[in-house]
């Protein structure tokens, strides 16, 4: 994830990947000067989103739902439904901050969500502040 982020940030900032400085903000969120980014990985897949606005990316392999996580979200019927809801919440948390408890229902606010292409068996959501 770090290598992919450095490559993508290097392109966005017109720097060599090794010259990109990544620091850590509140709650361990990775930061850099000049642009926003978010990294996520699950299974054998890693992703990175880079934006000129606050951004959060979550990527998950579709799999069985652990009972404690299943109780954390309402409105899902199948594991695929659950992971779609989960990635949406996690992307919002990575973008805006907060906790899952604050985002149990549909995220509110001025946010834009998109669904990047991912390999079969995975789901991903990018959340950006408008």
């Amino acid at each position: 994830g770090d290598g992919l982020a450095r490559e993508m940030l290097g392109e966005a900032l017109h720097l060599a990947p090794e010259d990109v400085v990544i620091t850590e903000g509140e709650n361990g969120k990775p930061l850099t000067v000049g642009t926003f980014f978010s990294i996520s990985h699950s299974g054998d897949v890693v992703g990175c989103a880079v934006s000129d606005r606050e951004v959060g990316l979550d990527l998950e392999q579709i799999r069985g739902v652990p009972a404690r996580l299943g109780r954390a979200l309402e409105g899902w019927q199948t594991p695929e439904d659950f992971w779609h809801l989960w990635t949406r919440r996690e992307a919002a948390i990575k973008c805006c901050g907060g906790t899952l408890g604050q985002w149990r229902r549909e995220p509110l606010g001025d946010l834009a969500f998109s669904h990047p292409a991912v390999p079969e068996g995975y789901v991903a959501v990018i959340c950006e502040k408008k």
Side-chain angles (χ1 to χ4, degrees), residues 70-92:
R71 290 187 299 269
L73 293 178
E74 301 170 359
W76 63 276
Q77 300 296 317
T78 67
E80 188 169 353
D81 292 342
F82 174 84
W83 293 111
H84 278 280
L85 288 170
W86 182 266
T87 56
R88 190 170 172 96
R89 299 320 189 275
E90 284 287 314

Side-chain angles (χ1 to χ4, degrees), residues 2-63:
D2 185 65
L4 176 61
R6 287 182 182 283
E7 285 182 37
M8 292 178 69
L9 289 165
E11 280 186 38
L13 298 169
H14 308 290
L15 295 172
E18 60 272 12
D19 293 334
V20 173
V21 176
I22 297 175
T23 60
E24 198 171 283
E26 280 186 44
N27 301 321
K29 183 176 181 174
L31 303 170
T32 192
V33 175
T35 195
F36 299 95
F37 73 105
S38 183
I39 304 168
S40 187
H41 54 83
S42 182
D44 295 330
V45 178
V46 64
C48 179
V50 176
S51 179
D52 59 353
R53 300 174 282 172
E54 294 263 1
V55 66
L57 165 68
D58 193 47
L59 164 75
E60 294 290 342
Q61 185 173 25
I62 298 170
R63 58 195 185 279

